[in-house]
Amino acid sequence: MTIDELYEIGQNFRRSLESFSAEIHVCGSGGCFSSGGMQIREALEQACAARNLASDVRIISTGCMGLCGAGPLVRMHPSNTLYVKVTPADADRIVEQHLVGNTPVADLAHPTDTPFFTKQTPIALKNMGHIDPESIDDYIGHGGYEALAKAITYYTQDGVILEVRSSGLRGRGGAGYPTGLKWSIVRKVKSNQKYVVCNADEGDPGAFMDRAMLEGNPHAILEGMAIAGYAVGATQGYIYVRGEYPLAIERLKKAIKQAERTQMLGNRIFDSEFNFRIDLRIGAGAFVCGEETALMASIEGRRGQPRPRPPYPSQSGLWGMPTLLNNVETYANVPAIILNGGKWFAGIGTEKSKGTKVFALAGRIKNTGLIEVPMGISLREIIFDIGGGIPDGGEFKAAQTGGPSGGCIPAQHLDIPVDYESLAQVGSIMGSGGLIVMDKSSCMVKLAQYFMEFCMDESCGKCIPCRVGTVQLHKVLERMTQGRASMEDLGILEELCDMVKDTSLCGLGQTAPNPVVSTLHFFRKEYEDHIHAHVCDAGECTALAAAPAPEPPSAPAEKTTAAKTKPGRRSNGRD
C-alpha cells in the first residue's frame, strides 16, 4: 500500500456515494442495537425495496449517535434529519413520507440545533454515527489512515512524539499522565522488543465511552495504536477488551483483518521499514484488570493482580519489555493530532487540560448519552445545557465523576470548569468519563454503600488493606443505612478510609474510599441524620423506619473532624 493507493481508495469510495440520492444511518451501537436497531434497518431496507428505491438509497448501521436515551435513532441524509424512538413499524412511514414525499415525519423528528449537539466538539467521536464501522473503505473515505501515512512518511519517530507532546494530550483513562512524555520514555528505552497496549477494560458503573468508540469507529483506535507503535519503536500491539463487549470484539476483529488485508497493519506499512501487528486479548470482566500491571499480567496469561511499581511498564512491562499503555480515547485522539498538528489540539481546552473529553451522561438527567466537550466547560453547562437538566422538574443534588474511584460534586460547585485540576480541588477525578447525575431522591449514604460494595466485590484480594478494609467499610455503611450505627461508627469510617487509601497496593484500593470521603465532606448531615434520627430524606433507606429508636447524640469522636474528611485526590492509576 502506498499513499497514492490510499487516496485512490478514498476517492473511489466517495465517488461510489454519488450514485445514491439519499442515505439512511441507523444507530448500530450496543444500546440501539439491543433495542431493535437491526430490525429497524431490515424494515427500512424492505420498505425501500418495495418502492424500487433499493439502488438509490444507501442504508448502513453506524456507531453511537450520542442521544442514547432517545434511541433507537435514525438519521436521514442529506437533510440531516434525526428520528428518535424509532420502531420497525415506522419504517414504511419514514420511507414513504420522507424519501418519497420529501416531508419529515414530524412526530419522530428531533431538532439537531439544540445545545446537546451545538455545544459539543467532536474529535475522538468525529466520525461516530456517520460511517459504517465495518467498512475500512468508509473510514478511508473520511480521511482514515492518512494520519498514519503522514506519521510514517513525513515525521521521524521523535517528530511524532514532539507533535503529541506539543498537543498537551493527557491520558484519558483516569490519571491524566502526559501522553507525549509517556511515549518519550518508552522511545528512549533501548530494547529489541517493545509493546503497545490499548486498555479497553472499561469497568466503571455507568460508563460506556470505550465500548461506544470500539463499536463505532474501531479503525481510529487501530490507527492511533499504529502511530504510537511507530513513534516508540514497537512492532506488536494488544487491545485488552472486556468479554462483556461482544459487538466491540466482533467489529475489532473485522477491522484488524481489513487493516491487514490493505497493509495498514503488518509488514512494511506504507512501503517503509515499519512493521506492526495488533492482537486482541479478551478480559473476563475483573475491574482490577483496568489497572495497568494487573492488565499486563492478564495478557501474559497469569492471574490479573497488580504488582508494586517501580519498575513502571515503560521500562519493564509485558514479559519484562518496555510497554506503552494508553486507553481507547487517548489513541482515538492521536490521528487528529497528527493530521492537524499539536498546536491545533492545544488550542482547545484549558492551560493544563488540553483538548476535549468524552463523557457518558447517566442517572437523573434528561439527555442520557455520549458527549464530547472541550476541557474547561462548566459542569452546569454539561448537565443543564447539553444534558437538558433534571427530568420531571427535579432538583439537582450532585454529580458523580470518576466512577468508583471518584467523588460527588454538590450543587454549590456546579460552575467549576471540568478539567483535571478543578475536579481534584473538589475531591473528585476526571476518571475515564463516567458522569452520573443525582437529584434529591438519591441518598448519599446509600450511594457510598453502593460504590463500596462494588470495590469490595472487585478487590483482587492480594493486599490486606483493600481486601479487608473495603469489607469493613461496607459493613459500617450498611449499619448506617439500617439504623444500627453510632457516632463511633462515623469515626471508624473515617479511620478506615485513611488506612485503605494510605496502605493499599494499587489504585483500586487507594481510591476506593473516595466516594465515602467525598460524600462525608459535602453531605455529612445526611450521615448524622441516619445515625441520630434514623431519617433518610431521600427515602431510600427504608430499613431505618423499622430500626430501634436512635440513641441520644453524643460528642463526636476525635477523628470526626472536617480536616479528616477532606476529599481525596488520588487517581485510580488508569492511564
Side-chain angles (χ1 to χ4, degrees):
M1 173 67 70
T2 64
I3 295 178
D4 289 339
E5 290 170 334
L6 177 73
Y7 289 149
E8 187 177 350
I9 292 174
Q11 288 172 352
N12 288 339
F13 175 79
R14 291 189 290 272
R15 201 172 294 127
S16 72
L17 297 182
E18 296 173 0
S19 62
F20 299 105
S21 61
E23 287 192 38
I24 303 177
H25 295 176
V26 182
C27 182
S29 69
C32 287
F33 191 85
S34 61
S35 300
M38 184 54 69
Q39 290 79 10
I40 293 169
R41 176 179 169 174
E42 291 171 354
L44 287 166
E45 289 172 341
Q46 292 170 6
C48 285
R51 293 163 178 80
N52 295 321
L53 294 174
S55 58
D56 294 329
V57 180
R58 178 176 181 249
I59 304 175
I60 62 170
S61 295
T62 69
C64 180
M65 295 182 182
L67 201 59
C68 305
L73 304 173
V74 171
R75 192 187 299 271
M76 310 294 288
H77 290 283
S79 64
N80 195 35
T81 303
L82 180 66
Y83 292 134
V84 300
K85 298 187 182 301
V86 180
T87 68
D90 297 317
D92 272 320
R93 278 202 304 153
I94 291 174
V95 172
E96 181 65 29
Q97 193 170 322
H98 189 111
L99 294 181
V100 178
N102 201 27
T103 303
V105 183
D107 59 306
L108 296 177
H110 188 282
T112 55
D113 58 352
T114 62
F116 181 85
F117 298 101
T118 59
K119 285 208 167 187
Q120 293 196 48
T121 306
I123 295 177
L125 303 182
K126 181 183 176 184
N127 288 323
M128 292 272 290
H130 299 287
I131 66 172
D132 179 355
E134 299 187 9
S135 168
I136 192 172
D137 287 357
D138 204 339
Y139 182 66
I140 293 173
H142 285 78
Y145 288 109
E146 290 182 13
L148 177 61
K150 182 179 179 181
I152 293 175
T153 61
Y154 180 77
Y155 287 108
T156 64
Q157 293 170 283
D158 291 331
V160 171
I161 293 174
L162 186 62
E163 207 64 58
V164 175
R165 290 191 72 160
S166 67
S167 74
L169 176 66
R170 296 168 65 172
R172 299 301 197 235
Y177 192 82
T179 303
L181 178 59
K182 182 185 280 189
W183 290 24
S184 177
I185 293 170
V186 178
R187 161 79 175 138
K188 290 176 181 175
V189 179
K190 297 191 180 301
S191 175
N192 293 328
Q193 179 65 61
K194 297 179 183 178
Y195 297 103
V196 167
V197 174
C198 176
N199 184 350
D201 192 54
E202 182 176 55
D204 290 0
F208 54 93
M209 304 77 56
D210 292 353
R211 173 178 61 75
M213 283 185 270
L214 294 170
E215 291 173 350
N217 198 4
H219 283 288
I221 315 305
L222 303 184
E223 186 177 10
M225 290 181 67
I227 292 170
Y230 169 74
V232 303
T235 57
Q236 177 66 51
Y238 291 101
I239 301 176
Y240 189 85
V241 59
R242 302 207 125 213
E244 296 98 320
Y245 290 175
L247 186 60
I249 293 169
E250 178 186 332
R251 288 179 177 169
L252 276 171
K253 287 179 176 176
K254 286 183 181 178
I256 290 172
K257 285 183 179 177
Q258 291 172 348
E260 289 175 340
R261 287 182 189 141
T262 50
Q263 298 177 315
M264 302 299 167
L265 295 176
N267 295 330
R268 296 186 58 76
I269 298 173
F270 288 111
D271 278 346
S272 70
E273 298 297 319
F274 175 52
N275 308 320
F276 191 71
R277 289 176 172 76
I278 295 176
D279 290 315
L280 295 185
R281 288 293 182 269
I282 313 299
F287 181 70
V288 73
C289 285
E291 197 277 340
E292 58 186 15
T293 59
L295 182 151
M296 290 188 299
S298 183
I299 289 178
E300 293 171 350
R302 297 183 288 114
R303 184 175 178 179
Q305 287 188 318
R307 62 164 171 77
R309 298 172 298 176
Y312 292 95
S314 56
Q315 297 166 320
S316 179
L318 279 175
W319 296 285
M321 299 298 173
T323 301
L324 175 70
L325 282 106
N326 284 124
N327 90 325
V328 173
E329 186 183 345
T330 308
Y331 288 122
N333 275 299
V334 170
I337 291 172
I338 298 301
L339 279 179
N340 300 300
K343 288 184 179 178
W344 163 79
F345 190 84
I348 304 168
T350 65
E351 181 181 355
K352 294 183 178 179
S353 299
K354 306 295 187 184
T356 58
K357 182 74 191 79
V358 177
F359 287 101
L361 294 183
R364 297 289 293 167
I365 192 166
K366 288 181 181 176
N367 299 329
T368 56
L370 199 68
I371 64 169
E372 184 173 6
V373 293
M375 291 279 195
I377 189 173
S378 72
L379 188 61
R380 185 185 298 279
E381 287 178 279
I382 291 179
I383 293 173
F384 289 93
D385 294 346
I386 297 174
I390 311 301
D392 304 323
E395 184 179 348
F396 173 82
K397 184 173 187 178
Q400 206 273 348
T401 66
S405 306
C408 293
I409 304 170
Q412 62 262 37
H413 292 298
L414 268 172
D415 292 313
I416 64 163
V418 176
D419 57 44
Y420 291 99
E421 288 70 28
S422 300
L423 291 178
Q425 287 176 4
V426 294
S428 192
I429 61 172
M430 185 76 75
S432 58
L435 200 162
I436 301 173
V437 178
M438 289 158 281
D439 64 6
K440 293 294 184 183
S441 65
S442 298
C443 169
M444 306 313 284
V445 183
K446 198 76 174 177
L447 177 88
Q449 183 191 3
Y450 166 77
F451 279 116
M452 193 51 61
E453 183 177 8
F454 178 87
C455 293
M456 177 181 71
D457 291 342
E458 294 293 338
S459 174
C460 74
K462 185 172 183 176
C463 74
I464 294 174
C466 179
R467 184 179 70 234
V468 180
T470 53
V471 172
Q472 297 305 317
L473 278 165
H474 182 263
K475 284 183 176 178
V476 175
L477 291 165
E478 188 177 53
R479 287 202 293 272
M480 290 179 175
T481 58
Q482 294 180 350
R484 298 186 289 110
S486 66
M487 281 305 292
E488 185 181 359
D489 283 315
L490 206 54
I492 293 172
L493 192 70
E494 291 174 314
E495 288 186 6
L496 282 170
C497 285
D498 288 344
M499 183 275 293
V500 174
K501 283 178 64 175
D502 294 338
T503 59
S504 292
L505 173 63
C506 78
L508 189 152
Q510 292 164 4
T511 60
N514 280 358
V516 180
V517 174
S518 173
T519 50
L520 264 173
H521 182 75
F522 291 118
F523 301 95
R524 189 180 191 85
K525 186 174 182 302
E526 286 197 28
Y527 282 84
E528 294 173 347
D529 286 347
H530 279 66
I531 296 171
H532 291 319
H534 289 183
V535 168
C536 174
D537 286 338
E540 280 197 76
C541 302
T542 54
L544 288 175
E551 295 179 3
S554 57
E558 183 182 349
K559 297 291 288 185
T560 57
T561 62
K564 295 304 296 181
T565 57
K566 186 177 181 179
R569 298 181 182 179
R570 282 182 176 168
S571 72
N572 59 4
R574 293 174 176 232
D575 184 23

